[in-house]
Amino acid sequence: MINRKSPPEYSRVEDICFTEPEKCLFDNNIEVFTLNIGMQDVVKIEFIFNAGMWEQDIPLVATACNSMLIEGTKKYTADEIAESIDFCGSYIETGINQDLASVSLYTLNKHLAKTLPLVEEIIKNAVFPEKELDIYFNNNKQRFLVKNKKVKYIAKNKFSESLFGKQHPYNTSLNISDFDNVKRKNIIDFYKKSYCSNNCKVIISGKAEKNCIKLVEKYFGGNDWSNKNFFSDKKNLVKTTNKKRIYENKPDAVQSAIRIGRLLFNRKHAGFQNMQILNMLFGGYFGSRLMSNIREDKGYTYGIGSGIVSLKNAGYFFIATEVGVEFCEKTIDEIFREIKRLKDKKVGEDELKLVKNYMLGTILREADGPFSLAEMYKSVLQYGLNFSYYKSFIENIKKANPDLLLELANKYFDEEKMKEIIVGKI
């Protein structure tokens, strides 16, 4: 009989065996990475393009382009594509972030020959119908108007603008006029420039049968969708505001949204992994210092957290929360008190051990299954890295010590370089 009075024994994660993908090169120079480790007869094929917000010259173009790929092609309407994919029990997913855009197919191997031609149509021959574009922008304009009343949304965008500047492609803040400024021609031009063979990588994961790569090469290995004029060497200067604190008054707000942070660095920096450890302890999980103090002890908020964001051409650290209007300044004081504590006093061994176990367990959970592994590989591929990144991360977590974290806190948690965004009733 199980003894409910004693906690179960746990073992520390010592190592995770990552299977490096097999790499091949199509005749048109597309790099294909295959993780053939699935148990179920299903495969995911993801086409990745450098077609995120970084590449756009007009706000919303990259997002609209990626979202509208499935809304009709030269051969098929959106309904015909959806019906054919559904009939095979398959699924097509599009996705975009600041740097990358993707088109993914999830399908049984036996239906690959039927579904890949549909993906080919979407990637090579999208037409962006005017009617569907109008519906898309009208719907998103309404969503923007609703979201722009929320202090959390405003603070996020004001923070982005304060770090990068209004004209920088990593700036997420929008104006209502941006939805009317995008024309169909802008989207088509971006599509023709970006969704081409010389701007594409492919990750295949799951139970990839022998004919899988051959089928992908059949439909995507030719030069019929290359762009000889494709060139991406975009340079955008960051124009960080000189203001340390920015207020946005919302007289009717019940809560105030707080964003605090600074520009930092991305995954390629030697200190990034160790900063992730410091951040986890500070505000990266439910047992963090920020949560323990400001939620559990003070009761100022339901949730508070911090994070380190890695982008291809930048990186930043942030702290985010929403609090009652009357607790806003007290919360900010406590945030900086916790920062000072990290800089003045070494972390205890027991606290650090808990954080280490949590982080190692998180990596283990994220590495569960072929699709999750493919996502992990994708997140480092754009930096020219591979699974050795995670192996070194595991070693850095194990080696982390109080002296190292104290040094990092004093080096990078500089209050004078932190931007403070407050949106709410002032």
Side-chain angles (χ1 to χ4, degrees):
M1 188 173 180
I2 298 174
N3 183 358
R4 301 288 184 183
K5 295 182 179 180
S6 299
E9 293 184 7
Y10 71 90
S11 58
R12 179 176 171 179
V13 177
E14 294 298 334
D15 192 21
I16 299 175
C17 182
F18 293 101
T19 302
E20 289 289 343
E22 294 183 12
K23 178 182 174 181
C24 69
L25 198 67
F26 289 166
D27 289 341
N28 59 1
N29 290 320
I30 289 181
E31 293 179 317
V32 180
F33 304 88
T34 304
L35 281 161
N36 185 14
I37 51 177
M39 299 296 292
Q40 304 297 322
D41 190 31
V42 64
V43 66
K44 175 186 176 184
I45 303 173
E46 183 170 19
F47 301 85
I48 304 165
F49 303 89
N50 291 313
M53 283 75 117
W54 176 263
E55 298 294 338
Q56 67 187 9
D57 295 318
I58 302 172
L60 297 172
V61 167
T63 305
C65 181
N66 184 260
S67 300
M68 295 296 295
L69 287 172
I70 59 176
E71 294 300 323
T73 70
K74 292 178 180 179
K75 286 186 179 180
Y76 307 111
T77 65
D79 288 342
E80 288 171 336
I81 293 171
E83 287 175 7
S84 298
I85 290 294
D86 287 346
F87 182 79
C88 294
S90 304
Y91 180 63
I92 293 177
E93 178 182 64
T94 60
I96 190 167
N97 58 32
Q98 286 94 331
D99 294 306
L100 303 175
S102 63
V103 179
S104 301
L105 169 68
Y106 299 80
T107 187
L108 295 172
N109 276 286
K110 66 181 181 180
H111 294 312
L112 193 58
K114 296 179 183 178
T115 52
L116 261 184
L118 295 171
V119 179
E120 179 191 28
E121 270 292 299
I122 289 168
I123 291 177
K124 295 182 182 180
N125 298 310
V127 294
F128 307 100
E130 195 79 56
K131 180 181 177 181
E132 278 72 16
L133 277 174
D134 289 341
I135 294 171
Y136 171 83
F137 280 111
N138 285 333
N139 289 342
N140 280 276
K141 186 189 294 186
Q142 293 304 313
R143 292 191 189 100
F144 170 78
L145 291 172
V146 172
K147 288 193 296 185
N148 209 40
K149 294 178 181 179
K150 300 177 181 179
V151 292
K152 179 180 179 180
Y153 180 79
I154 299 170
K156 173 180 175 290
N157 291 326
K158 288 287 181 182
F159 178 69
S160 172
E161 185 178 312
S162 73
L163 290 185
F164 296 109
K166 289 185 178 181
Q167 304 305 317
H168 197 279
Y170 284 160
N171 172 31
T172 60
S173 63
L174 296 169
N175 298 311
I176 191 66
S177 59
D178 291 331
F179 293 87
D180 299 318
N181 291 338
V182 181
K183 307 303 179 188
R184 181 170 179 263
K185 184 180 184 304
N186 302 135
I187 296 172
I188 292 174
D189 289 346
F190 183 83
Y191 166 69
K192 289 180 178 179
K193 171 205 164 189
S194 304
Y195 289 80
C196 55
S197 60
N198 38 330
N199 188 35
C200 180
K201 288 182 173 63
V202 180
I203 298 178
I204 302 173
S205 55
K207 193 175 182 180
E209 296 182 345
K210 292 182 179 180
N211 69 329
C212 183
I213 295 177
K214 291 182 179 179
L215 280 171
V216 176
E217 186 170 21
K218 174 183 176 181
Y219 293 106
F220 296 94
N223 291 310
D224 57 312
W225 60 303
S226 65
N227 179 0
K228 295 179 181 179
N229 297 318
F230 175 78
F231 181 73
S232 179
D233 188 28
K234 192 171 183 179
K235 295 179 181 179
N236 285 272
L237 296 176
V238 171
K239 295 183 179 180
T240 303
T241 179
N242 292 324
K243 293 181 180 179
K244 178 172 172 53
R245 178 173 280 199
I246 297 172
Y247 291 100
E248 179 82 11
N249 189 20
K250 299 286 287 183
D252 57 341
V254 177
Q255 287 190 316
S256 291
I258 300 169
R259 282 259 173 168
I260 298 173
R262 58 163 296 186
L263 287 172
L264 209 56
F265 37 70
N266 64 15
R267 289 182 190 272
K268 295 184 76 172
H269 191 279
F272 184 82
Q273 293 181 346
N274 288 326
M275 277 300 293
Q276 285 184 289
I277 302 168
L278 179 63
N279 172 73
M280 186 65 70
L281 183 145
F282 177 66
Y285 77 121
F286 195 82
S288 69
R289 289 189 173 187
L290 288 180
M291 285 290 283
S292 297
N293 179 351
I294 297 171
R295 174 193 156 105
E296 300 300 323
D297 183 37
K298 303 296 188 303
Y300 293 160
T301 180
Y302 284 111
I304 183 170
S306 64
I308 300 178
V309 177
S310 175
L311 305 169
K312 189 173 183 179
N313 300 286
Y316 61 90
F317 165 75
F318 73 91
I319 303 161
T321 188
E322 292 82 50
V323 300
V325 172
E326 68 273 26
F327 300 126
C328 184
E329 290 299 332
K330 293 179 180 179
T331 299
I332 294 173
D333 289 342
E334 290 300 325
I335 288 171
F336 284 107
R337 186 172 288 113
E338 288 297 338
I339 289 176
K340 187 176 187 301
R341 189 157 75 98
L342 270 180
K343 296 168 71 174
D344 291 346
K345 186 178 180 180
K346 291 181 183 179
V347 173
E349 291 287 355
D350 288 343
E351 184 182 11
L352 182 55
K353 181 180 178 182
L354 180 63
V355 169
K356 287 182 176 184
N357 288 338
Y358 179 84
M359 293 186 74
L360 290 169
T362 299
I363 297 173
L364 185 63
R365 185 182 69 248
E366 289 176 348
D368 184 20
F371 298 164
S372 297
L373 281 170
E375 193 63 32
M376 292 178 74
Y377 193 78
K378 173 186 172 183
S379 68
V380 296
L381 180 61
Q382 64 177 318
Y383 303 99
L385 304 170
N386 53 34
F387 278 135
S388 63
Y389 172 86
Y390 295 104
K391 293 177 181 178
S392 69
F393 191 19
I394 291 169
E395 290 305 311
N396 279 330
I397 292 172
K398 291 178 183 178
K399 292 187 296 185
N401 60 70
D403 289 320
L404 172 65
L405 298 189
L406 184 69
E407 179 185 348
L408 288 171
N410 279 280
K411 187 173 183 179
Y412 295 114
F413 280 5
D414 185 345
E415 293 94 325
E416 293 304 312
K417 293 182 179 180
M418 300 277 189
K419 303 298 179 186
E420 303 171 30
I421 312 298
I422 303 167
V423 180
K425 185 178 180 181
I426 299 171

Coordinates of all heavy atoms in Angstrom, one line a residue, residues 145-198:
L145 N -9.2 47.2 -31.9 CA -9.9 48.2 -31.1 C -10.3 47.6 -29.7 O -10.3 48.4 -28.7 CB -11.2 48.6 -31.9 CG -10.9 49.4 -33.2 CD1 -12.2 49.6 -33.9 CD2 -10.3 50.8 -32.8
V146 N -10.7 46.4 -29.7 CA -11.0 45.7 -28.4 C -9.8 45.6 -27.5 O -9.8 46.0 -26.3 CB -11.7 44.4 -28.6 CG1 -11.9 43.7 -27.3 CG2 -13.1 44.6 -29.3
K147 N -8.7 45.0 -28.1 CA -7.5 44.8 -27.3 C -6.9 46.1 -26.8 O -6.3 46.1 -25.8 CB -6.5 44.0 -28.1 CG -6.9 42.5 -28.3 CD -5.7 41.7 -28.9 CE -5.3 42.1 -30.2 NZ -4.2 41.3 -30.8
N148 N -7.0 47.1 -27.7 CA -6.3 48.4 -27.3 C -7.0 49.1 -26.2 O -6.5 50.2 -25.8 CB -6.3 49.3 -28.6 CG -5.1 50.2 -28.6 OD1 -4.0 49.8 -28.2 ND2 -5.3 51.5 -29.0
K149 N -8.0 48.6 -25.7 CA -8.7 49.1 -24.4 C -8.1 48.5 -23.2 O -8.4 48.9 -22.1 CB -10.2 49.0 -24.5 CG -10.9 49.8 -25.6 CD -12.4 49.5 -25.6 CE -13.0 50.3 -26.7 NZ -14.5 50.0 -26.8
K150 N -7.3 47.4 -23.4 CA -6.8 46.7 -22.2 C -5.4 47.2 -21.9 O -4.5 47.3 -22.7 CB -6.8 45.2 -22.6 CG -8.1 44.6 -22.9 CD -8.0 43.1 -23.3 CE -9.4 42.5 -23.7 NZ -9.3 41.1 -24.1
V151 N -5.2 47.4 -20.6 CA -4.0 48.0 -20.1 C -2.8 47.1 -20.4 O -1.7 47.5 -20.7 CB -4.0 48.4 -18.6 CG1 -5.0 49.5 -18.4 CG2 -4.4 47.2 -17.8
K152 N -3.0 45.8 -20.3 CA -2.0 44.8 -20.6 C -1.5 44.9 -22.0 O -0.2 44.9 -22.2 CB -2.5 43.4 -20.3 CG -1.5 42.3 -20.5 CD -2.2 40.9 -20.2 CE -1.2 39.8 -20.5 NZ -1.9 38.4 -20.2
Y153 N -2.3 45.0 -22.9 CA -2.0 45.1 -24.3 C -1.2 46.4 -24.6 O -0.2 46.4 -25.3 CB -3.2 45.0 -25.2 CG -3.0 45.0 -26.7 CD1 -2.5 43.9 -27.4 CD2 -3.3 46.2 -27.4 CE1 -2.3 44.0 -28.7 CE2 -3.1 46.2 -28.8 CZ -2.6 45.1 -29.4 OH -2.4 45.2 -30.8
I154 N -1.7 47.5 -24.1 CA -1.1 48.8 -24.3 C 0.3 48.8 -23.7 O 1.3 49.3 -24.4 CB -2.0 49.9 -23.7 CG1 -3.3 50.0 -24.3 CG2 -1.3 51.3 -23.9 CD1 -4.3 50.9 -23.6
A155 N 0.5 48.3 -22.5 CA 1.8 48.3 -21.9 C 2.8 47.4 -22.7 O 3.9 47.9 -22.8 CB 1.6 47.7 -20.4
K156 N 2.3 46.3 -23.2 CA 3.2 45.5 -24.0 C 3.8 46.2 -25.2 O 5.0 46.2 -25.5 CB 2.5 44.2 -24.4 CG 3.2 43.3 -25.4 CD 2.4 42.1 -25.7 CE 3.1 41.2 -26.8 NZ 3.1 41.9 -28.1
N157 N 2.9 46.9 -25.9 CA 3.3 47.6 -27.1 C 4.1 48.9 -26.8 O 5.0 49.2 -27.5 CB 2.1 48.0 -27.9 CG 1.4 46.7 -28.5 OD1 2.1 45.8 -28.9 ND2 0.1 46.7 -28.6
K158 N 3.8 49.6 -25.7 CA 4.5 50.8 -25.3 C 6.0 50.3 -24.9 O 6.9 51.1 -25.2 CB 3.9 51.5 -24.1 CG 2.6 52.2 -24.5 CD 2.9 53.5 -25.3 CE 1.6 54.3 -25.6 NZ 1.9 55.5 -26.4
F159 N 6.1 49.2 -24.2 CA 7.4 48.7 -23.8 C 8.2 48.4 -25.1 O 9.4 48.7 -25.2 CB 7.2 47.4 -23.0 CG 8.4 46.8 -22.6 CD1 9.3 47.4 -21.6 CD2 8.8 45.5 -23.1 CE1 10.5 46.8 -21.2 CE2 10.0 44.9 -22.7 CZ 10.8 45.5 -21.8
S160 N 7.6 47.7 -26.1 CA 8.3 47.4 -27.3 C 8.8 48.6 -28.0 O 9.9 48.7 -28.5 CB 7.3 46.6 -28.2 OG 7.9 46.4 -29.5
E161 N 7.9 49.6 -28.1 CA 8.3 50.9 -28.7 C 9.4 51.6 -28.0 O 10.3 52.2 -28.6 CB 7.0 51.8 -28.8 CG 7.2 53.1 -29.5 CD 5.9 53.9 -29.6 OE1 4.9 53.3 -29.9 OE2 6.0 55.1 -29.3
S162 N 9.4 51.5 -26.6 CA 10.4 52.2 -25.9 C 11.8 51.5 -26.1 O 12.8 52.2 -26.0 CB 10.0 52.2 -24.4 OG 10.2 50.9 -23.8
L163 N 11.8 50.2 -26.3 CA 13.1 49.5 -26.5 C 13.6 49.7 -27.9 O 14.8 50.0 -28.0 CB 12.9 48.0 -26.3 CG 12.6 47.5 -24.9 CD1 12.6 46.0 -24.9 CD2 13.7 48.0 -23.9
F164 N 12.8 49.6 -28.9 CA 13.3 49.6 -30.3 C 13.1 50.8 -31.1 O 13.8 51.1 -32.1 CB 12.6 48.4 -31.0 CG 12.9 47.0 -30.5 CD1 12.0 46.3 -29.8 CD2 14.2 46.5 -30.6 CE1 12.3 45.1 -29.2 CE2 14.5 45.3 -30.1 CZ 13.6 44.6 -29.4
G165 N 12.1 51.6 -30.7 CA 11.7 52.8 -31.5 C 10.5 52.5 -32.4 O 10.3 51.3 -32.8
K166 N 9.8 53.5 -32.8 CA 8.6 53.4 -33.6 C 8.7 52.7 -34.9 O 7.9 51.9 -35.4 CB 7.9 54.7 -33.7 CG 7.3 55.3 -32.5 CD 6.5 56.6 -32.8 CE 5.9 57.2 -31.5 NZ 5.1 58.4 -31.8
Q167 N 9.8 53.0 -35.6 CA 10.0 52.5 -37.0 C 10.7 51.1 -37.0 O 10.9 50.6 -38.1 CB 10.8 53.5 -37.8 CG 10.2 54.9 -37.8 CD 8.8 54.9 -38.3 OE1 8.5 54.3 -39.3 NE2 7.9 55.7 -37.6
H168 N 11.1 50.6 -35.9 CA 11.8 49.3 -36.0 C 10.9 48.2 -36.2 O 9.8 48.1 -35.6 CB 12.6 49.1 -34.6 CG 13.7 48.1 -34.7 ND1 13.4 46.8 -34.6 CD2 15.0 48.2 -34.8 CE1 14.5 46.1 -34.6 NE2 15.5 46.9 -34.8
P169 N 11.3 47.2 -37.0 CA 10.3 46.1 -37.3 C 10.0 45.2 -36.1 O 9.0 44.5 -36.1 CB 11.1 45.2 -38.4 CG 12.5 45.7 -38.3 CD 12.5 47.1 -37.8
Y170 N 10.8 45.2 -35.1 CA 10.5 44.4 -33.8 C 9.5 45.2 -32.9 O 9.1 44.6 -31.9 CB 11.8 44.2 -33.0 CG 12.7 43.1 -33.6 CD1 14.0 42.9 -33.3 CD2 12.1 42.1 -34.5 CE1 14.8 41.9 -33.8 CE2 12.9 41.1 -35.0 CZ 14.3 41.0 -34.6 OH 15.0 40.0 -35.1
N171 N 9.2 46.4 -33.2 CA 8.3 47.2 -32.5 C 6.9 46.6 -32.8 O 6.5 46.6 -34.0 CB 8.3 48.7 -32.8 CG 7.2 49.5 -32.2 OD1 6.7 49.1 -31.1 ND2 6.8 50.5 -32.9
T172 N 6.1 46.2 -31.8 CA 4.8 45.6 -32.0 C 3.6 46.6 -31.9 O 2.5 46.2 -32.2 CB 4.6 44.5 -31.0 OG1 4.6 45.1 -29.6 CG2 5.6 43.4 -31.1
S173 N 3.9 47.8 -31.6 CA 2.8 48.8 -31.4 C 2.2 49.2 -32.8 O 3.0 49.3 -33.8 CB 3.3 50.0 -30.7 OG 4.3 50.7 -31.4
L174 N 0.9 49.3 -32.9 CA 0.2 49.6 -34.1 C -0.7 50.8 -33.9 O -1.1 51.2 -32.8 CB -0.6 48.4 -34.5 CG 0.1 47.1 -34.9 CD1 -0.9 46.0 -35.1 CD2 0.9 47.3 -36.2
N175 N -1.1 51.4 -35.0 CA -2.1 52.5 -35.1 C -3.3 51.9 -35.9 O -3.1 51.1 -36.8 CB -1.6 53.8 -35.7 CG -0.4 54.4 -34.9 OD1 -0.5 54.5 -33.7 ND2 0.7 54.7 -35.6
I176 N -4.4 52.4 -35.6 CA -5.6 52.0 -36.4 C -5.5 52.2 -37.9 O -5.9 51.4 -38.7 CB -6.9 52.7 -35.8 CG1 -8.1 52.0 -36.4 CG2 -6.9 54.1 -36.1 CD1 -8.4 50.6 -35.9
S177 N -4.7 53.2 -38.2 CA -4.5 53.6 -39.7 C -3.7 52.5 -40.4 O -3.7 52.3 -41.6 CB -3.8 54.9 -39.8 OG -2.6 54.9 -39.1
D178 N -2.9 51.7 -39.6 CA -2.0 50.7 -40.2 C -2.9 49.6 -40.9 O -2.4 49.1 -41.9 CB -1.2 50.0 -39.1 CG -0.1 50.9 -38.6 OD1 0.4 51.8 -39.3 OD2 0.3 50.8 -37.4
F179 N -4.1 49.4 -40.5 CA -4.9 48.4 -41.1 C -5.5 48.8 -42.4 O -5.8 48.0 -43.3 CB -6.1 48.0 -40.1 CG -5.7 47.3 -38.9 CD1 -5.3 48.1 -37.8 CD2 -5.6 46.0 -38.8 CE1 -4.9 47.5 -36.6 CE2 -5.2 45.3 -37.7 CZ -4.8 46.1 -36.5
D180 N -5.5 50.1 -42.7 CA -6.0 50.7 -43.9 C -4.8 50.9 -44.9 O -5.1 51.1 -46.1 CB -6.8 52.0 -43.7 CG -8.0 51.7 -42.8 OD1 -8.7 50.7 -43.0 OD2 -8.2 52.6 -41.9
N181 N -3.6 51.0 -44.4 CA -2.5 51.3 -45.3 C -2.0 50.1 -46.1 O -1.3 50.3 -47.1 CB -1.3 51.9 -44.4 CG -1.6 53.2 -43.8 OD1 -2.5 53.9 -44.3 ND2 -1.0 53.6 -42.7
V182 N -2.3 48.9 -45.7 CA -1.8 47.7 -46.4 C -2.6 47.4 -47.6 O -3.9 47.3 -47.5 CB -1.7 46.5 -45.5 CG1 -1.2 45.3 -46.2 CG2 -0.9 46.7 -44.2
K183 N -2.0 47.4 -48.7 CA -2.7 47.1 -50.0 C -2.4 45.6 -50.4 O -1.4 45.1 -50.0 CB -2.3 48.1 -51.1 CG -2.5 49.5 -50.7 CD -3.9 49.9 -50.3 CE -4.0 51.3 -49.8 NZ -5.4 51.6 -49.2
R184 N -3.3 45.1 -51.3 CA -3.1 43.8 -51.8 C -1.7 43.6 -52.5 O -1.0 42.6 -52.3 CB -4.2 43.4 -52.7 CG -4.1 42.0 -53.3 CD -5.3 41.6 -54.0 NE -5.2 40.2 -54.6 CZ -4.9 40.0 -55.9 NH1 -4.7 41.0 -56.7 NH2 -4.8 38.7 -56.3
K185 N -1.3 44.6 -53.2 CA 0.0 44.6 -53.9 C 1.1 44.5 -52.9 O 2.1 43.8 -53.2 CB 0.1 45.9 -54.8 CG 1.4 45.9 -55.6 CD 1.5 47.1 -56.4 CE 2.8 47.1 -57.3 NZ 4.0 46.8 -56.6
N186 N 1.1 45.1 -51.8 CA 2.1 45.0 -50.8 C 2.3 43.6 -50.3 O 3.4 43.1 -50.2 CB 1.8 45.9 -49.5 CG 1.6 47.4 -49.9 OD1 0.7 48.0 -49.4 ND2 2.5 47.9 -50.7
I187 N 1.2 42.9 -50.1 CA 1.2 41.5 -49.7 C 1.8 40.6 -50.8 O 2.6 39.7 -50.5 CB -0.2 41.1 -49.2 CG1 -0.6 41.9 -48.0 CG2 -0.2 39.6 -48.9 CD1 -2.0 41.7 -47.6
I188 N 1.3 40.8 -52.0 CA 1.8 40.0 -53.1 C 3.3 40.2 -53.3 O 4.0 39.2 -53.5 CB 1.0 40.3 -54.4 CG1 -0.5 39.8 -54.2 CG2 1.6 39.6 -55.6 CD1 -1.4 40.2 -55.4
D189 N 3.7 41.4 -53.3 CA 5.2 41.7 -53.4 C 6.0 41.0 -52.4 O 7.0 40.4 -52.6 CB 5.4 43.2 -53.4 CG 4.9 43.9 -54.7 OD1 4.6 43.2 -55.7 OD2 4.8 45.1 -54.7
F190 N 5.5 41.1 -51.1 CA 6.2 40.4 -50.0 C 6.2 38.9 -50.2 O 7.2 38.3 -49.9 CB 5.5 40.8 -48.7 CG 6.2 40.3 -47.5 CD1 7.3 40.9 -46.9 CD2 5.8 39.1 -46.9 CE1 8.0 40.4 -45.8 CE2 6.4 38.6 -45.7 CZ 7.5 39.2 -45.2
Y191 N 5.1 38.4 -50.6 CA 5.0 36.9 -50.8 C 5.9 36.5 -51.9 O 6.7 35.5 -51.7 CB 3.5 36.6 -51.2 CG 3.3 35.3 -51.8 CD1 3.3 34.1 -51.1 CD2 2.9 35.1 -53.2 CE1 3.1 32.9 -51.6 CE2 2.6 33.9 -53.7 CZ 2.8 32.8 -52.9 OH 2.5 31.5 -53.5
K192 N 6.0 37.1 -53.0 CA 6.9 36.7 -54.1 C 8.3 36.8 -53.7 O 9.2 36.0 -54.1 CB 6.6 37.6 -55.4 CG 5.3 37.3 -56.0 CD 5.1 38.2 -57.2 CE 3.7 37.9 -57.9 NZ 3.5 38.7 -59.1
K193 N 8.6 37.8 -52.9 CA 10.0 38.0 -52.5 C 10.4 37.0 -51.4 O 11.5 36.4 -51.5 CB 10.2 39.4 -51.8 CG 11.5 39.6 -51.2 CD 11.5 40.7 -50.1 CE 12.7 40.6 -49.2 NZ 12.6 41.5 -48.0
S194 N 9.5 36.6 -50.5 CA 9.9 35.9 -49.3 C 9.6 34.4 -49.4 O 10.4 33.6 -48.9 CB 9.2 36.4 -48.1 OG 9.5 37.8 -48.0
Y195 N 8.5 34.0 -50.0 CA 8.2 32.5 -50.1 C 8.7 31.9 -51.3 O 8.0 31.6 -52.3 CB 6.7 32.4 -50.0 CG 6.1 32.7 -48.6 CD1 6.0 34.1 -48.2 CD2 5.8 31.7 -47.7 CE1 5.5 34.4 -46.9 CE2 5.4 32.1 -46.4 CZ 5.2 33.4 -46.0 OH 4.8 33.7 -44.8
C196 N 10.1 31.7 -51.3 CA 10.8 31.1 -52.4 C 11.8 30.1 -51.9 O 12.1 30.0 -50.7 CB 11.5 32.2 -53.2 SG 12.6 33.2 -52.2
S197 N 12.3 29.3 -52.9 CA 13.1 28.1 -52.5 C 14.4 28.6 -51.9 O 15.0 27.9 -51.0 CB 13.4 27.3 -53.7 OG 14.0 28.0 -54.7
N198 N 15.0 29.7 -52.3 CA 16.2 30.2 -51.7 C 16.1 30.9 -50.4 O 17.0 31.5 -49.9 CB 17.1 31.0 -52.7 CG 16.2 31.9 -53.6 OD1 15.0 31.6 -53.9 ND2 16.8 33.0 -54.0

